[in-house]
Amino acid sequence: MSRGKKSRSASRRSSARHPVLASKPLEPGQQAQAPGLTLRSYQVGALPLLHQILERIRLEQFFSEYLPADDPRCQFPTAQALLVLVRNVLMSREPVYAVGAWAARFAPDLFNLWDEQVALLHDDRLGRCLTRLFLGTGPELILAVVRHVIAEFQVSLDELHNDSTTVSFYGVYQEASEEGQRLGRATHAITWGYSKDHRPDLKQLLYTLTISRDGGVPVYFTSHSGNVVDDKTHCATWDLLCQLVGSSDFLYVADCKLASEENLRHIARTGRFVTVMPRTHGEDEKFRTRLRQSPQAIRWEPLYDKTDEQGEVTDRLFVCADEWLSSAGYRLLWYRSTRKAELDQATRARHVQRALADLTELRERLLSPRTRFRERSKVQRAVDDLLAEREVESLIRVRIEEKEDAKYRQAQPGRPSKHTKYKKETRPRYHLTWELDAVAFAKAELEDGIFPLLTNDKQLTAEEVLRAYKRQPIIEKRFSQLKTDFAVAPVYLKDVGRIQGLLAIYFFVLLVQTLLERELRQAMASKGIESLPLYPEGRPCSRPTTARVIEVFEPIQRHLLMVGDNEPECLVTELTPLQRQIIKLLGLSPAEYGH
């Protein structure tokens, strides 16, 4: 352990003289006593690192300014309670009812709290704080925080990426089945919609996020009812981003939901966009038809190659030499990727394999004596549904053969004899055969790896347009962190207002963790450090994440040792070389860490 002015040897001798204190390690938050001696242990972890980022963001100040004023009788300021929630989601993600017990393990001053205040962090108080956050969270608060972050951390806003995800809920949520009002603020409907988690059985809310190209920093978020479709959110988001930037001079990148006529026209009036054109547009079918009929007429020009760490080429990108125009007059660029072609081919093979297995199962059901498929129309409908579900309608040709199934029954009741007469009863029975369409497979292979991008920016080259869209997966990483590292679902709350408040907490959590990563990576670049040994067994990590940094700092504790009436002696877990390096890169002092 590193410590203040007293020597380690004195601390060891003190512990040796008092075996009651030395016999069993204390859990964080516990206290041990012996005659004339008191020892109290606290967890420290990565809280000082998070505290530095929160101080620079000035989140507590913005909460105090934009949230409703606290009641004078309130024993715990709302802003401080919400910051405890932010730290909890970053480091542990405990349910709201367990946040108080979690905070009690840490030294109160690391939260800017007193000992007495930690005991007030129960779920009822935190729930009321989330309600106040719901009442105060609006574009004004978000824009004020982000404007300060942009100035403080020098974040560039020349290119912004937008996307949305769904947050699933387990339960009925009857009071939130429809949109409504709560304390003068609109509330969302927790209901069914298109689930991006592939859980159509669960109700949901829509969570929309916008990030910067520079470091993937979240710059805006909003939430919507679970049945809201993505293409209805872009116009309002664009207008707010223009307020944030102070102009419309930035590139707006989004997925195919942006490519509606209303959205593109709204943005094109003053700004620039890049998006992918959906398959439902007529221009898509025209190009693919031409590609299938005259593949030699399409000239592909190479753009660039992507390589892995060993220098091996993993993808080759091409662009169609002839630029096209969409029906609305926007630039339409067609690209081809060798890596995407491999993935498309593998996906098609997987779909065909599953379709063949489904057809085999359906054929066995048709042959069963208890089959319910007694009409040809029902069999045809079952085949069509099966092929459509697997998206292989044009690749497999299925024939339905009809045969008569004959059965003989006695004409009259009674015991059968040699004079018994029988009558013949026939019922149709259907049999399936199929074959793969080689011509359709060859045509499908011509389309492998191609995709179209739309833009109204006439200055960008074809490569610049492609690279801008290729940065869109950065936002998918943020959604991955939202649902894995921070476990946004399920949400352990019933009140829809508090749920909306908690979703705002997650935005600030993403903001803090992104800025921490960005600061650490920029410091590494300025020092010429290519990687840090953050992975198990000291393996190098070139792009450190907040989750891994928090894990590395988890063992750090603080111990307060009081001998008699003397001032307590502070002892902090001795830092490893890696921990010292990270602390210095983030501009803190290893000697003061945890004290």
Side-chain angles (χ1 to χ4, degrees):
M1 293 182 180
S2 64
R3 32 172 303 192
K5 297 180 179 179
K6 297 188 178 181
S7 65
R8 290 198 192 95
S9 58
S11 174
R12 295 194 186 99
R13 288 196 299 271
S14 176
S15 299
R17 288 196 302 269
H18 298 277
V20 175
L21 298 181
S23 60
K24 184 178 180 181
L26 294 180
E27 291 294 326
Q30 288 187 342
Q31 177 175 305
Q33 290 184 332
L37 200 78
T38 302
L39 179 64
R40 181 68 183 267
S41 296
Y42 294 103
Q43 189 74 20
V44 173
L47 273 183
L49 304 181
L50 303 179
H51 178 75
Q52 183 201 30
I53 300 295
L54 288 169
E55 283 288 308
R56 293 182 63 185
I57 295 176
R58 293 166 53 189
L59 197 54
E60 182 176 351
Q61 176 181 333
F62 286 110
F63 281 159
S64 301
E65 181 178 352
Y66 284 89
L67 300 189
D70 286 327
D71 190 299
R73 297 168 295 177
C74 182
Q75 298 175 301
F76 203 112
T78 298
Q80 288 184 312
L82 294 176
L83 287 180
V84 173
L85 273 178
V86 169
R87 294 179 176 101
N88 171 258
V89 175
L90 279 162
M91 297 183 63
S92 182
R93 184 49 185 108
E94 299 290 341
V96 173
Y97 62 80
V99 170
W102 172 82
R105 300 171 57 232
F106 292 84
D109 61 281
L110 297 175
F111 297 111
N112 285 337
L113 301 177
W114 300 101
D115 287 329
E116 298 78 9
Q117 289 179 306
V118 176
L120 301 176
L121 283 170
H122 50 75
D123 57 343
D124 183 56
R125 173 168 277 107
L126 291 172
R128 291 198 298 270
C129 290
L130 286 174
T131 299
R132 301 175 75 81
L133 181 60
F134 157 69
L135 295 176
T137 298
E140 297 81 9
L141 172 60
I142 302 298
L143 294 180
V145 172
V146 174
R147 283 193 184 107
H148 172 74
V149 166
I150 292 167
E152 175 69 21
F153 292 87
Q154 298 296 304
V155 180
S156 173
L157 299 181
D158 62 329
E159 182 178 308
L160 301 179
H161 294 255
N162 177 273
D163 202 356
S164 62
T165 188
T166 50
V167 179
S168 301
F169 291 82
Y170 299 79
V172 180
Y173 293 95
Q174 292 180 346
E175 297 181 358
S177 58
E178 297 180 355
E179 295 179 350
Q181 292 279 330
R182 172 123 193 261
L183 301 175
R185 292 296 302 271
T187 58
H188 302 324
I190 300 177
T191 184
W192 290 281
Y194 177 75
S195 174
K196 299 186 179 184
D197 295 332
H198 307 289
R199 291 298 305 268
D201 57 315
L202 298 180
K203 295 182 178 182
Q204 64 185 26
L205 287 178
L206 185 70
Y207 190 94
T208 303
L209 184 67
T210 304
I211 66 171
S212 67
R213 166 192 177 181
D214 180 9
V217 178
V219 296
Y220 191 72
F221 103 100
T222 185
S223 55
H224 303 273
S225 297
N227 55 1
V228 171
V229 292
D230 299 19
D231 55 1
K232 300 298 182 183
T233 65
H234 286 289
C235 291
T237 299
W238 167 262
D239 293 339
L240 285 166
L241 292 176
C242 290
Q243 293 182 36
L244 174 65
V245 178
S247 71
S248 58
D249 187 21
F250 60 90
L251 186 64
Y252 186 75
V253 186
D255 62 9
C256 63
K257 298 299 190 299
L258 173 64
S260 71
E261 182 179 353
E262 179 185 0
N263 290 335
L264 298 185
R265 185 173 60 248
H266 183 82
I267 296 175
R269 289 171 187 162
T270 56
R272 301 172 294 133
F273 63 80
V274 170
T275 185
V276 62
M277 188 176 68
R279 290 290 297 267
T280 55
H281 285 212
E283 299 92 327
D284 184 276
E285 182 58 32
K286 289 180 182 178
F287 182 86
R288 294 177 187 274
T289 300
R290 181 181 177 185
L291 182 63
R292 290 192 295 266
Q293 294 176 350
S294 305
Q296 68 281 356
I298 306 296
R299 294 185 300 112
W300 297 100
E301 295 180 350
L303 281 181
Y304 62 91
D305 294 343
K306 293 182 64 177
T307 58
D308 56 19
E309 296 178 354
Q310 288 73 37
E312 297 290 334
V313 176
T314 58
D315 194 4
R316 295 185 185 276
L317 284 305
F318 301 84
V319 65
C320 180
D322 302 319
E323 278 199 15
W324 296 56
L325 287 179
S326 70
S327 58
Y330 305 123
R331 291 176 66 193
L332 176 56
L333 301 166
W334 283 91
Y335 297 92
R336 182 163 64 87
S337 162
T338 57
R339 176 59 180 162
K340 185 177 185 301
E342 295 172 358
L343 296 175
D344 289 345
Q345 186 175 5
T347 300
R348 182 169 56 252
R350 186 167 60 251
H351 287 181
V352 169
Q353 185 178 6
R354 291 176 178 175
L356 295 179
D358 293 341
L359 286 171
T360 301
E361 180 182 354
L362 178 60
R363 180 166 61 184
E364 292 176 355
R365 291 172 60 190
L366 295 176
L367 295 175
S368 170
R370 297 186 178 183
T371 182
R372 296 184 179 181
F373 293 94
R374 299 296 183 183
E375 299 176 10
R376 188 183 187 91
S377 60
K378 290 185 177 181
V379 179
Q380 186 66 57
R381 186 162 56 250
V383 171
D384 293 343
D385 292 345
L386 185 154
L387 297 179
E389 181 182 359
R390 299 302 183 187
E391 301 177 353
V392 293
E393 303 98 312
S394 62
L395 302 177
I396 303 177
R397 293 201 297 263
V398 181
R399 290 189 297 273
I400 303 175
E401 300 175 356
E402 183 176 344
K403 298 180 180 179
E404 284 191 352
D405 186 14
K407 297 183 68 174
Y408 293 88
R409 295 180 180 275
Q410 290 182 204
Q412 295 180 351
R415 182 174 296 179
S417 66
K418 63 181 181 178
H419 302 293
T420 301
K421 295 182 179 180
Y422 293 87
K423 59 181 180 180
K424 181 180 179 181
E425 295 180 353
T426 60
R427 290 190 302 180
R429 184 175 292 277
Y430 300 95
H431 181 72
L432 297 181
T433 59
W434 55 81
E435 63 179 354
L436 302 181
D437 190 332
V439 176
F441 267 91
K443 291 182 178 181
E445 289 178 358
L446 293 174
E447 301 180 31
D448 286 346
I450 69 168
F451 57 96
L453 296 182
L454 277 173
T455 183
N456 67 329
D457 193 323
K458 298 179 181 179
Q459 304 301 320
L460 294 178
T461 65
E463 181 176 344
E464 289 171 335
V465 172
L466 178 59
R467 288 187 181 274
Y469 187 75
K470 284 290 186 179
R471 287 187 284 270
Q472 184 70 0
I474 299 174
I475 199 170
E476 297 295 342
K477 179 62 177 179
R478 295 289 171 251
F479 287 145
S480 174
Q481 293 165 336
L482 185 72
K483 296 186 176 183
T484 55
D485 294 349
F486 306 135
V488 69
V491 176
Y492 301 100
L493 293 169
K494 294 183 179 180
D495 184 275
V496 65
R498 295 181 178 182
I499 289 172
Q500 290 179 224
L502 186 61
L503 292 180
I505 288 289
Y506 278 102
F507 170 76
F508 296 120
V509 165
L510 285 175
L511 184 61
V512 172
Q513 72 103 25
T514 302
L515 292 173
L516 180 61
E517 291 176 358
R518 184 174 179 270
E519 289 292 291
L520 182 55
R521 293 173 185 178
Q522 286 185 346
M524 290 171 57
S526 66
K527 300 288 187 182
I529 302 173
E530 295 184 356
S531 63
L532 294 174
L534 282 171
Y535 291 138
E537 302 173 353
R539 287 180 283 122
C541 172
S542 60
R543 298 182 62 81
T545 62
T546 298
R548 186 61 189 136
V549 170
I550 290 175
E551 185 178 347
V552 167
F553 279 80
E554 186 177 359
I556 299 178
Q557 296 182 347
R558 178 201 295 176
H559 305 279
L560 295 180
L561 180 64
M562 181 178 292
V563 181
D565 296 330
N566 298 327
E567 287 292 324
E569 182 181 1
C570 178
L571 303 98
V572 177
T573 305
E574 187 171 0
L575 301 174
T576 65
L578 174 60
Q579 291 167 344
R580 289 178 175 274
Q581 185 180 16
I582 293 175
I583 291 170
K584 290 179 181 179
L585 287 171
L586 292 174
L588 297 177
S589 169
E592 298 177 0
Y593 192 88
H595 288 273

